[in-house]
Short mmCIF file of all heavy atoms in Angstrom, two decimals:
data_model
loop_
_atom_site.label_atom_id
_atom_site.label_comp_id
_atom_site.label_asym_id
_atom_site.label_seq_id
_atom_site.Cartn_x
_atom_site.Cartn_y
_atom_site.Cartn_z
N ARG A 138 -9.35 -1.51 3.90
CA ARG A 138 -9.82 -0.59 4.93
C ARG A 138 -10.66 -1.33 5.98
O ARG A 138 -11.22 -2.40 5.71
CB ARG A 138 -10.65 0.53 4.30
CG ARG A 138 -12.03 0.08 3.85
CD ARG A 138 -12.69 1.06 2.92
NE ARG A 138 -14.05 0.65 2.59
CZ ARG A 138 -14.35 -0.33 1.76
NH1 ARG A 138 -13.39 -1.00 1.18
NH2 ARG A 138 -15.61 -0.65 1.52
N ASN A 139 -10.79 -0.73 7.13
CA ASN A 139 -11.65 -1.28 8.19
C ASN A 139 -13.09 -0.88 7.89
O ASN A 139 -13.49 0.25 8.12
CB ASN A 139 -11.21 -0.73 9.55
CG ASN A 139 -11.97 -1.36 10.70
OD1 ASN A 139 -13.01 -2.00 10.50
ND2 ASN A 139 -11.47 -1.20 11.91
N ILE A 140 -13.87 -1.83 7.36
CA ILE A 140 -15.24 -1.50 6.94
C ILE A 140 -16.15 -1.17 8.13
O ILE A 140 -17.22 -0.60 7.95
CB ILE A 140 -15.86 -2.63 6.10
CG1 ILE A 140 -15.97 -3.92 6.92
CG2 ILE A 140 -15.07 -2.85 4.83
CD1 ILE A 140 -16.80 -4.99 6.24
N ASN A 141 -15.70 -1.51 9.33
CA ASN A 141 -16.50 -1.16 10.52
C ASN A 141 -16.55 0.35 10.73
O ASN A 141 -17.39 0.85 11.47
CB ASN A 141 -15.92 -1.83 11.77
CG ASN A 141 -16.06 -3.34 11.72
OD1 ASN A 141 -17.07 -3.86 11.24
ND2 ASN A 141 -15.06 -4.05 12.22
N HIS A 142 -15.64 1.07 10.06
CA HIS A 142 -15.63 2.53 10.17
C HIS A 142 -16.34 3.20 9.00
O HIS A 142 -16.41 4.43 8.94
CB HIS A 142 -14.19 3.03 10.27
CG HIS A 142 -13.49 2.60 11.53
ND1 HIS A 142 -12.11 2.43 11.61
CD2 HIS A 142 -13.98 2.27 12.75
CE1 HIS A 142 -11.78 2.03 12.83
NE2 HIS A 142 -12.90 1.93 13.54
N ASP A 143 -16.83 2.38 8.04
CA ASP A 143 -17.62 2.95 6.95
C ASP A 143 -18.94 3.45 7.51
O ASP A 143 -19.58 2.78 8.33
CB ASP A 143 -17.91 1.90 5.87
CG ASP A 143 -16.67 1.54 5.06
OD1 ASP A 143 -15.65 2.23 5.19
OD2 ASP A 143 -16.75 0.57 4.27
N GLY A 144 -19.37 4.63 7.08
CA GLY A 144 -20.66 5.14 7.52
C GLY A 144 -21.80 4.33 6.92
O GLY A 144 -21.66 3.73 5.85
N GLU A 145 -22.93 4.32 7.60
CA GLU A 145 -24.08 3.55 7.13
C GLU A 145 -24.55 4.02 5.76
O GLU A 145 -25.04 3.23 4.96
CB GLU A 145 -25.23 3.65 8.14
CG GLU A 145 -24.95 2.93 9.45
CD GLU A 145 -26.14 2.96 10.39
OE1 GLU A 145 -27.21 3.43 9.96
OE2 GLU A 145 -25.99 2.51 11.54
N GLU A 146 -24.42 5.29 5.49
CA GLU A 146 -24.88 5.85 4.22
C GLU A 146 -23.74 5.99 3.21
O GLU A 146 -23.95 6.47 2.10
CB GLU A 146 -25.53 7.22 4.44
CG GLU A 146 -26.70 7.21 5.41
CD GLU A 146 -27.83 6.29 4.96
OE1 GLU A 146 -28.10 6.26 3.74
OE2 GLU A 146 -28.41 5.60 5.81
N GLU A 147 -22.54 5.57 3.59
CA GLU A 147 -21.39 5.72 2.70
C GLU A 147 -21.40 4.64 1.62
O GLU A 147 -21.70 3.48 1.89
CB GLU A 147 -20.08 5.61 3.49
CG GLU A 147 -19.80 6.79 4.39
CD GLU A 147 -19.30 8.00 3.63
OE1 GLU A 147 -18.76 7.82 2.53
OE2 GLU A 147 -19.47 9.10 4.15
N GLN A 148 -21.06 5.01 0.40
CA GLN A 148 -20.88 4.05 -0.68
C GLN A 148 -19.55 4.33 -1.36
O GLN A 148 -19.30 5.43 -1.83
CB GLN A 148 -22.01 4.11 -1.71
CG GLN A 148 -21.86 3.07 -2.82
CD GLN A 148 -22.91 3.18 -3.90
OE1 GLN A 148 -23.25 4.28 -4.34
NE2 GLN A 148 -23.43 2.05 -4.36
N LEU A 149 -18.71 3.33 -1.38
CA LEU A 149 -17.43 3.45 -2.07
C LEU A 149 -17.69 3.68 -3.55
O LEU A 149 -18.39 2.91 -4.20
CB LEU A 149 -16.61 2.17 -1.86
CG LEU A 149 -15.25 2.10 -2.54
CD1 LEU A 149 -14.32 3.17 -2.01
CD2 LEU A 149 -14.65 0.71 -2.35
N ASP A 150 -17.12 4.75 -4.10
CA ASP A 150 -17.38 5.12 -5.49
C ASP A 150 -16.08 5.12 -6.30
O ASP A 150 -15.24 5.99 -6.14
CB ASP A 150 -18.03 6.50 -5.55
CG ASP A 150 -18.45 6.89 -6.97
OD1 ASP A 150 -18.28 6.07 -7.89
OD2 ASP A 150 -18.94 8.02 -7.15
N LEU A 151 -15.95 4.12 -7.16
CA LEU A 151 -14.82 4.04 -8.08
C LEU A 151 -15.33 3.99 -9.52
O LEU A 151 -14.61 3.56 -10.43
CB LEU A 151 -13.98 2.79 -7.78
CG LEU A 151 -13.21 2.80 -6.46
CD1 LEU A 151 -12.69 1.40 -6.14
CD2 LEU A 151 -12.06 3.79 -6.49
N SER A 152 -16.54 4.47 -9.73
CA SER A 152 -17.17 4.40 -11.05
C SER A 152 -16.30 5.06 -12.12
O SER A 152 -15.61 6.04 -11.86
CB SER A 152 -18.54 5.07 -11.01
OG SER A 152 -18.45 6.42 -10.56
N TYR A 153 -16.33 4.47 -13.30
CA TYR A 153 -15.60 4.94 -14.49
C TYR A 153 -14.08 4.80 -14.37
O TYR A 153 -13.35 5.21 -15.28
CB TYR A 153 -15.95 6.39 -14.82
CG TYR A 153 -17.40 6.61 -15.20
CD1 TYR A 153 -18.32 7.05 -14.26
CD2 TYR A 153 -17.83 6.36 -16.50
CE1 TYR A 153 -19.66 7.25 -14.61
CE2 TYR A 153 -19.16 6.55 -16.86
CZ TYR A 153 -20.06 6.99 -15.90
OH TYR A 153 -21.38 7.18 -16.25
N GLY A 154 -13.58 4.27 -13.29
CA GLY A 154 -12.14 4.15 -13.12
C GLY A 154 -11.53 3.11 -14.06
O GLY A 154 -12.14 2.09 -14.38
N ASP A 155 -10.33 3.39 -14.54
CA ASP A 155 -9.58 2.46 -15.37
C ASP A 155 -8.57 1.75 -14.48
O ASP A 155 -7.54 2.31 -14.10
CB ASP A 155 -8.87 3.21 -16.50
CG ASP A 155 -8.25 2.27 -17.52
OD1 ASP A 155 -8.05 1.09 -17.20
OD2 ASP A 155 -7.95 2.72 -18.64
N MET A 156 -8.89 0.50 -14.13
CA MET A 156 -8.06 -0.25 -13.19
C MET A 156 -7.63 -1.57 -13.79
O MET A 156 -7.53 -2.58 -13.12
CB MET A 156 -8.84 -0.45 -11.88
CG MET A 156 -9.20 0.85 -11.19
SD MET A 156 -10.35 0.64 -9.81
CE MET A 156 -11.92 0.60 -10.69
N ARG A 157 -7.36 -1.54 -15.08
CA ARG A 157 -6.95 -2.76 -15.77
C ARG A 157 -5.71 -3.37 -15.13
O ARG A 157 -4.73 -2.68 -14.86
CB ARG A 157 -6.65 -2.45 -17.23
CG ARG A 157 -7.88 -2.33 -18.11
CD ARG A 157 -7.54 -1.78 -19.46
NE ARG A 157 -7.15 -0.36 -19.36
CZ ARG A 157 -6.57 0.30 -20.35
NH1 ARG A 157 -6.28 -0.31 -21.47
NH2 ARG A 157 -6.27 1.58 -20.19
N GLY A 158 -5.80 -4.68 -14.88
CA GLY A 158 -4.65 -5.39 -14.34
C GLY A 158 -4.39 -5.14 -12.87
O GLY A 158 -3.37 -5.59 -12.33
N ALA A 159 -5.31 -4.48 -12.19
CA ALA A 159 -5.11 -4.19 -10.76
C ALA A 159 -5.17 -5.46 -9.93
O ALA A 159 -5.86 -6.43 -10.28
CB ALA A 159 -6.17 -3.20 -10.28
N ASN A 160 -4.45 -5.45 -8.83
CA ASN A 160 -4.50 -6.57 -7.88
C ASN A 160 -5.44 -6.19 -6.75
O ASN A 160 -5.11 -5.36 -5.90
CB ASN A 160 -3.11 -6.88 -7.33
CG ASN A 160 -3.13 -8.07 -6.37
OD1 ASN A 160 -4.15 -8.73 -6.19
ND2 ASN A 160 -2.01 -8.35 -5.75
N LEU A 161 -6.63 -6.78 -6.77
CA LEU A 161 -7.63 -6.53 -5.73
C LEU A 161 -8.04 -7.84 -5.06
O LEU A 161 -9.17 -8.00 -4.61
CB LEU A 161 -8.85 -5.84 -6.36
CG LEU A 161 -8.63 -4.37 -6.74
CD1 LEU A 161 -9.68 -3.91 -7.75
CD2 LEU A 161 -8.65 -3.48 -5.51
N SER A 162 -7.10 -8.76 -4.99
CA SER A 162 -7.35 -10.04 -4.34
C SER A 162 -7.76 -9.83 -2.88
O SER A 162 -7.11 -9.08 -2.14
CB SER A 162 -6.08 -10.90 -4.39
OG SER A 162 -6.28 -12.12 -3.72
N GLU A 163 -8.88 -10.45 -2.50
CA GLU A 163 -9.42 -10.36 -1.14
C GLU A 163 -9.92 -8.96 -0.77
O GLU A 163 -10.23 -8.70 0.39
CB GLU A 163 -8.39 -10.82 -0.09
CG GLU A 163 -7.81 -12.21 -0.32
CD GLU A 163 -8.84 -13.31 -0.13
OE1 GLU A 163 -9.80 -13.10 0.63
OE2 GLU A 163 -8.68 -14.38 -0.75
N ALA A 164 -9.99 -8.06 -1.73
CA ALA A 164 -10.44 -6.69 -1.42
C ALA A 164 -11.91 -6.68 -1.02
O ALA A 164 -12.72 -7.44 -1.55
CB ALA A 164 -10.24 -5.79 -2.64
N ASN A 165 -12.24 -5.81 -0.10
CA ASN A 165 -13.64 -5.66 0.31
C ASN A 165 -14.25 -4.49 -0.44
O ASN A 165 -14.03 -3.33 -0.10
CB ASN A 165 -13.75 -5.44 1.82
CG ASN A 165 -15.17 -5.66 2.32
OD1 ASN A 165 -16.14 -5.44 1.58
ND2 ASN A 165 -15.32 -6.09 3.55
N LEU A 166 -15.02 -4.82 -1.46
CA LEU A 166 -15.67 -3.82 -2.29
C LEU A 166 -17.19 -3.99 -2.23
O LEU A 166 -17.91 -3.67 -3.17
CB LEU A 166 -15.18 -3.93 -3.74
CG LEU A 166 -13.67 -3.77 -3.93
CD1 LEU A 166 -13.27 -4.13 -5.34
CD2 LEU A 166 -13.23 -2.34 -3.59
N LYS A 167 -17.65 -4.48 -1.10
CA LYS A 167 -19.08 -4.75 -0.91
C LYS A 167 -19.92 -3.49 -1.16
O LYS A 167 -19.60 -2.42 -0.66
CB LYS A 167 -19.32 -5.27 0.51
CG LYS A 167 -20.77 -5.58 0.82
CD LYS A 167 -20.91 -6.09 2.25
CE LYS A 167 -22.37 -6.37 2.58
NZ LYS A 167 -22.54 -6.86 3.98
N SER A 168 -20.98 -3.65 -1.95
CA SER A 168 -21.95 -2.59 -2.23
C SER A 168 -21.33 -1.35 -2.86
O SER A 168 -21.92 -0.27 -2.81
CB SER A 168 -22.69 -2.20 -0.94
OG SER A 168 -23.38 -3.31 -0.40
N SER A 169 -20.16 -1.48 -3.43
CA SER A 169 -19.49 -0.31 -4.02
C SER A 169 -20.06 0.04 -5.40
O SER A 169 -20.68 -0.79 -6.06
CB SER A 169 -17.99 -0.57 -4.14
OG SER A 169 -17.74 -1.74 -4.88
N ASN A 170 -19.84 1.28 -5.81
CA ASN A 170 -20.26 1.74 -7.13
C ASN A 170 -19.09 1.56 -8.08
O ASN A 170 -18.14 2.33 -8.07
CB ASN A 170 -20.69 3.21 -7.06
CG ASN A 170 -21.16 3.74 -8.41
OD1 ASN A 170 -21.20 3.00 -9.40
ND2 ASN A 170 -21.52 5.01 -8.46
#
Side-chain angles (χ1 to χ4, degrees):
R138 74 195 184 285
N139 185 345
I140 61 170
N141 293 323
H142 295 152
D143 288 350
E145 291 184 7
E146 303 300 321
E147 290 283 337
Q148 182 184 42
L149 178 63
D150 185 3
L151 291 167
S152 56
Y153 296 97
D155 189 342
M156 298 170 277
R157 281 169 291 167
N160 182 6
L161 287 161
S162 177
E163 305 292 334
N165 195 330
L166 302 170
K167 180 180 179 180
S168 300
S169 56
N170 181 1

